[in-house]
Amino acid sequence: MGNEIENLQELLQKDPSNFQARRELSILLANNGFNEEALSNLKYLAKYFPEDAEIFYNLGILHEKLRDFKNAEKAYRRAIEISPQEDFYYNLGEVLIELESWDDALEAFKQVLRTDYNDGNCYFNIGLCYFKKDEINLATDNLQKAVELNPDDVFAYFYLGFIYQNNGLTNFAVECYQKVLAISPDYSWAYFNLASISYNNGDLEEAKRYLLKTIEYNDSDIEAYKLLVKICIRDNEIEEIITILQTRLQKEENGDLFYSLSQVYKHIGNFAEYVSALQKALENHLTLTYQKEIVKKELDYVQRKYGVAESSNGEYEEYDGTYTEEVDDEEEMFDETDEIEENEDEEEYFSEEDEYEDDEE
């Protein structure tokens, strides 16, 4: 393949007007990941062949690969203007989804369905657009049509599950998530949503099982750790959850996880570690979604209430009591069961990036 590219480049050095060689080179470059070089060659061709729909279609594909969605949209629209074809409309629709132009995307996918009524991918994308527009009934209808035509459409099942879950139809939601996992056993968000349903139903054992599967397949899922902490504290499974949190924090520090760890230490009365974890949470403020001012107040309060403070060498010593007169005013602020309100407490997950990908031709 490298020799073919080199041969075509040599031909073009001798004869830049060899358009057929340039077209072949563009395709080879694109297929081998040289997107910028392929784009340059196609732009050259577009100047000489402004009515060649395939050139503009391929320009759209390359702009899309480079995540230049505005220019991808322009290229696909030009291809459609020259020669309206299914593939052109479909790719335009996918780009419009990236641009969050839901109504225009709907129109593009509906154009595809005018000639191919059984395109399951189109029904998924139409369902996704209606979902984003909060037109849930239309979203549900189209997602159901998508799975009828394509029983292996994992994303359609997932979005259906999320819609059912949000509308209290948990039995249907569970069925959809189980289908997701039958198709894609490592789909971590399906495990998390099943855990959320089990947790809300009071089945903590099953919720824990699903959360552990979530972390197994996506160990950066912070919400899964946070919910798991609540379950382990309730079941007094302290050593297990401390090990889980510390293992993750050794890979990457995270403000929310340090705060969750602080609540575990608070629960068992280890106030030196409680203070340490709160301080680490504040140090990692960029990944702390809890209200930082309240975390700081909690830290100040526990230092005063339990007589724990940090010395200059980083070790903990008895607090000197300087602020003890303020403790009574905050007595109700942080008792043994209080937790700071989370920005996304037990939110179910759905992926805004999991859009159906069609093979580009």
Side-chain angles (χ1 to χ4, degrees), residues 55 72 136 154 157 281 305 337 348:
I55 289 176
I136 300 304
V154 63
Y157 278 122
K305 180 175 175 64
T337 58
E348 298 86 6

Side-chain angles (χ1 to χ4, degrees), residues 167-214:
N167 286 277
L169 302 172
T170 54
N171 289 338
F172 290 109
V174 167
E175 183 179 343
C176 285
Y177 293 140
Q178 294 291 5
K179 287 180 178 178
V180 169
L181 294 174
I183 300 164
S184 180
D186 60 350
Y187 203 108
S188 66
W189 290 333
Y191 286 115
F192 181 88
N193 285 1
L194 286 168
S196 179
I197 291 170
S198 298
Y199 182 84
N200 291 331
N201 289 339
D203 190 342
L204 300 189
E205 183 177 349
E206 186 172 78
K208 179 183 175 183
R209 180 170 63 85
Y210 283 130
L211 288 169
L212 290 174
K213 294 295 287 186
T214 304

Side-chain angles (χ1 to χ4, degrees), residues 64 69-70 73 76-77 80 85-114 119 121-133 135 142 355-356:
E64 193 174 352
F69 298 117
K70 280 291 186 182
E73 178 189 358
Y76 288 138
R77 288 193 184 280
I80 290 168
Q85 297 180 35
E86 282 180 25
D87 289 346
F88 301 174
Y89 277 114
Y90 187 90
N91 282 27
L92 173 63
E94 289 196 320
V95 164
L96 291 167
I97 283 177
E98 293 287 350
L99 294 170
E100 299 184 2
S101 300
W102 312 121
D103 289 328
D104 288 343
L106 280 170
E107 181 56 34
F109 290 121
K110 288 177 180 178
Q111 286 287 349
V112 177
L113 292 180
R114 288 188 173 96
D119 190 321
N121 292 348
C122 269
Y123 285 105
F124 167 76
N125 283 313
I126 289 171
L128 177 63
C129 291
Y130 281 126
F131 176 85
K132 298 295 187 180
K133 286 164 56 68
E135 296 182 32
N142 282 278
E355 294 157 6
Y356 221 89

Side-chain angles (χ1 to χ4, degrees), residues 50-66:
E51 299 301 317
D52 190 320
E54 287 294 330
I55 289 176
F56 287 97
Y57 174 62
N58 287 315
L59 274 171
I61 290 173
L62 285 168
H63 281 303
E64 193 174 352
K65 285 182 176 180
L66 294 166

Side-chain angles (χ1 to χ4, degrees), residues 208-209 212 215 225 228-229 231-233 235-248 261 264:
K208 179 183 175 183
R209 180 170 63 85
L212 290 174
I215 293 168
Y225 289 101
L228 186 59
V229 165
I231 293 171
C232 288
I233 286 177
D235 291 344
N236 209 33
E237 296 169 336
I238 302 305
E239 289 186 11
E240 180 181 5
I241 192 58
I242 288 176
T243 298
I244 289 171
L245 290 173
Q246 288 179 338
T247 299
R248 176 57 195 164
L261 184 60
V264 178

Side-chain angles (χ1 to χ4, degrees), residues 142-343:
N142 282 278
L143 291 170
Q144 287 175 337
K145 183 69 174 177
V147 296
E148 286 175 16
L149 292 168
N150 182 8
D152 291 330
D153 191 334
V154 63
F155 301 127
Y157 278 122
F158 185 79
Y159 275 89
L160 278 171
F162 183 79
I163 290 171
Y164 292 140
Q165 186 175 356
N166 273 9
N167 286 277
L169 302 172
T170 54
N171 289 338
F172 290 109
V174 167
E175 183 179 343
C176 285
Y177 293 140
Q178 294 291 5
K179 287 180 178 178
V180 169
L181 294 174
I183 300 164
S184 180
D186 60 350
Y187 203 108
S188 66
W189 290 333
Y191 286 115
F192 181 88
N193 285 1
L194 286 168
S196 179
I197 291 170
S198 298
Y199 182 84
N200 291 331
N201 289 339
D203 190 342
L204 300 189
E205 183 177 349
E206 186 172 78
K208 179 183 175 183
R209 180 170 63 85
Y210 283 130
L211 288 169
L212 290 174
K213 294 295 287 186
T214 304
I215 293 168
E216 177 185 346
Y217 291 113
N218 180 14
D219 70 352
S220 62
D221 190 327
I222 303 304
E223 296 302 317
Y225 289 101
K226 288 156 73 172
L227 187 53
L228 186 59
V229 165
K230 294 183 179 182
I231 293 171
C232 288
I233 286 177
R234 290 191 189 187
D235 291 344
N236 209 33
E237 296 169 336
I238 302 305
E239 289 186 11
E240 180 181 5
I241 192 58
I242 288 176
T243 298
I244 289 171
L245 290 173
Q246 288 179 338
T247 299
R248 176 57 195 164
L249 287 167
Q250 286 172 0
K251 293 183 179 180
E252 182 180 10
E253 294 193 346
N254 179 275
D256 276 1
L257 291 190
F258 276 119
Y259 181 77
S260 295
L261 184 60
S262 78
Q263 300 310 295
V264 178
Y265 286 126
K266 177 175 76 170
H267 176 74
I268 61 176
N270 186 336
F271 299 111
E273 294 294 343
Y274 177 19
V275 167
S276 177
L278 286 173
Q279 289 175 326
K280 293 294 288 184
L282 290 168
E283 288 172 16
N284 290 272
H285 60 90
L286 294 178
T287 52
L288 181 66
T289 62
Y290 302 97
Q291 295 182 39
K292 299 170 184 63
E293 296 78 8
I294 299 181
V295 175
K296 181 64 168 65
K297 286 182 180 179
E298 181 175 359
L299 174 60
D300 292 342
Y301 171 69
V302 73
Q303 285 178 322
R304 297 195 298 272
K305 180 175 175 64
Y306 297 108
V308 181
E310 187 177 7
S311 68
S312 59
N313 63 8
E315 296 178 351
Y316 288 89
E317 58 185 17
E318 287 300 310
Y319 193 76
D320 63 10
T322 304
Y323 300 104
T324 54
E325 72 275 6
E326 298 177 30
V327 170
D328 290 341
D329 295 334
E330 300 174 1
E331 189 68 34
E332 301 302 321
M333 186 178 294
F334 304 105
D335 65 24
E336 290 297 319
T337 58
D338 283 343
E339 293 187 11
I340 295 176
E341 182 179 357
E342 303 175 17
N343 289 350

